[in-house]
Amino acid sequence: MKKKVGIIGLGLIGGSIAYALRNVFDIVFYDTDTFTREYAENNGLGRFTPVEDMKECEAVFVCVPLAVTKSVLESTVKLLPDVIVADVASVKEPFDSVGGRYVGTHPMAGTEKGGVCAAKAHLFENAYWIITACGGDAEVVESIIKHTGARPVKMTASEHDKAVAFFSHAPHAVSYSLVSASVGEASPIAGSGFFDTTRIAASSGEFWSEVFKQNKDNVLFALGRIEKELDKIKALLGADRYDELASYMNAAKLKREAIFYGEASGEAIYVDLVDRIGEFERITGKLASAGINVKSIALMPGREGAGGALRLEFESGADALLAKAALGITEDKEKK
């Protein structure tokens, strides 16, 4: 008999968890939206169940909008005091006081799209999934997470929020700023560098405003650090100190390569990569058959907003378009 896992909120993340776990666990879910409930049941994502009836679950994942996550967590631990309750929110410290058997988690995967219709079984494969708790309950949650194909990573809530401020939250702020600063300029000549840098500005402003609110101090600190680095560039440029400017940028280049191997100056697309034998060869084989050269290939474990797990980079936008056609990627599927 399968063990039960509960999910509260079947949007992109909750729905993807259901898809990823349904062959291993008996999935029960709760969602207030009528369409979502019907879609989930019609597509075999689980059985609709009131939260108070999830008492036999191994764990319950709260996958609701960030603005209401804390209140839903608090009500859930009261209704289910003997059940492990985990969340999937993008920040962690605001929920330290939830109590009960709460385990904080954050899957570093997603797209700019939301809703159960955007959910997919392989969303988490090879993606980082942060767990900000320790002990037996955290081990149970980790064992469940592993069934999604994700890579569990342990850190404290404080460490998590500081890290995502630099690697996720501040980059979104910079991306929005760059787009806003460029309005009215010669947009027809915008190239791959601009579009690759600002891809994440296609994400929901309402969602990221709430993220910034919940992680305000860390985001402000990260943006302050970025401002200081920009001031260094401005000072070196203004003083015509080009050798020092080159050294500064080369040092940054080396730091980036330590995080992400391979250059990223071409036109990139992101492709779903299902974790199965022959999948990588299937993708590269289609490109080879179409005579398309790939400049660099990288697996993206941390990919909030990127969608696909495989990053393919090409010399030109024309090659990227040909690659999309060869792989059957439509603009709607791959939109960034």
Side-chain angles (χ1 to χ4, degrees):
M1 184 176 178
K2 292 181 180 179
K3 295 179 179 180
K4 288 184 180 179
V5 168
I7 302 171
I8 301 175
L10 281 187
L12 170 66
I13 300 300
S16 296
I17 292 174
Y19 273 125
L21 298 180
R22 64 179 178 175
N23 292 329
V24 181
F25 297 93
D26 179 14
I27 304 297
V28 294
F29 72 87
Y30 177 81
D31 197 289
T32 59
D33 183 68
T34 302
F35 170 81
T36 298
R37 293 198 300 268
E38 293 177 351
Y39 182 95
E41 292 185 327
N42 290 338
N43 287 275
L45 289 185
R47 302 190 319 276
F48 176 79
T49 304
V51 176
E52 58 267 25
D53 292 338
M54 295 184 180
K55 294 182 176 64
E56 296 180 358
C57 290
E58 285 286 292
V60 172
F61 287 86
V62 172
C63 309
V64 298
L66 181 57
V68 298
T69 294
K70 187 171 185 178
S71 62
V72 174
L73 281 172
E74 290 173 339
S75 64
T76 302
V77 297
K78 288 179 181 178
L79 285 171
L80 306 171
D82 298 321
V83 178
I84 299 170
V85 177
D87 73 322
V88 294
S90 303
V91 294
K92 298 270 67 81
E93 281 193 287
F95 313 127
D96 276 346
S97 62
V98 166
R101 299 181 69 183
Y102 166 67
V103 174
T105 84
H106 176 205
M108 301 289 289
T111 73
E112 80 281 7
K113 300 176 184 177
V116 69
C117 294
K120 48 190 176 182
H122 52 278
L123 180 69
F124 309 111
E125 287 186 354
N126 295 307
Y128 297 132
W129 194 316
I130 312 303
I131 301 173
T132 59
C134 56
D137 288 348
E139 297 303 319
V140 171
V141 171
E142 181 176 357
S143 69
I144 295 172
I145 286 172
K146 285 181 178 179
H147 286 290
T148 70
R151 303 180 184 182
V153 177
K154 294 283 188 69
M155 61 177 62
T156 67
S158 176
E159 289 170 339
H160 170 274
D161 288 1
K162 289 176 181 177
V164 294
F166 278 100
F167 294 110
S168 177
H169 302 174
H172 277 80
V174 172
S175 182
Y176 289 122
S177 300
L178 180 55
V179 172
S180 297
S182 304
V183 170
E185 299 300 325
S187 56
I189 67 168
S192 61
F194 177 84
F195 288 115
D196 210 23
T197 304
T198 61
R199 174 184 52 78
I200 52 178
S203 303
S204 165
E206 287 77 16
F207 172 81
W208 282 102
S209 176
E210 184 63 31
V211 171
F212 293 170
K213 174 183 175 183
Q214 296 277 0
N215 201 24
K216 177 181 176 180
D217 290 344
N218 287 317
V219 173
L220 286 173
F221 178 76
L223 290 175
R225 287 270 294 268
I226 293 170
E227 287 177 344
K228 289 181 180 178
E229 296 303 316
L230 287 173
D231 285 341
K232 290 179 183 178
I233 294 175
K234 288 170 62 178
L236 292 172
L237 182 59
D240 294 327
R241 294 156 61 183
Y242 299 114
D243 288 344
E244 292 177 60
L245 180 60
S247 296
Y248 173 91
M249 291 188 287
N250 283 328
K253 175 178 179 290
L254 292 174
K255 290 178 182 178
R256 183 188 186 280
E257 289 175 348
I259 300 172
F260 176 72
Y261 298 103
E263 297 179 357
S265 57
E267 185 78 10
I269 66 173
Y270 294 79
V271 181
D272 284 334
L273 184 68
V274 180
D275 194 357
R276 64 189 178 199
I277 295 174
E279 180 70 1
F280 183 81
E281 289 79 4
R282 181 187 69 81
I283 293 171
T284 55
K286 284 187 176 182
L287 296 175
S289 296
I292 304 167
N293 182 56
V294 183
K295 183 178 179 182
S296 72
I297 300 175
L299 183 67
M300 305 296 290
R303 53 178 188 270
E304 286 184 304
L310 193 66
R311 185 184 192 278
L312 303 175
E313 187 179 324
F314 304 90
E315 289 289 349
S316 67
D319 282 350
L321 288 174
L322 290 173
K324 288 181 183 180
L327 297 173
I329 298 174
T330 65
E331 283 301 311
D332 180 60
K333 286 181 180 179
E334 210 277 329
K335 181 183 176 185
K336 297 296 174 246

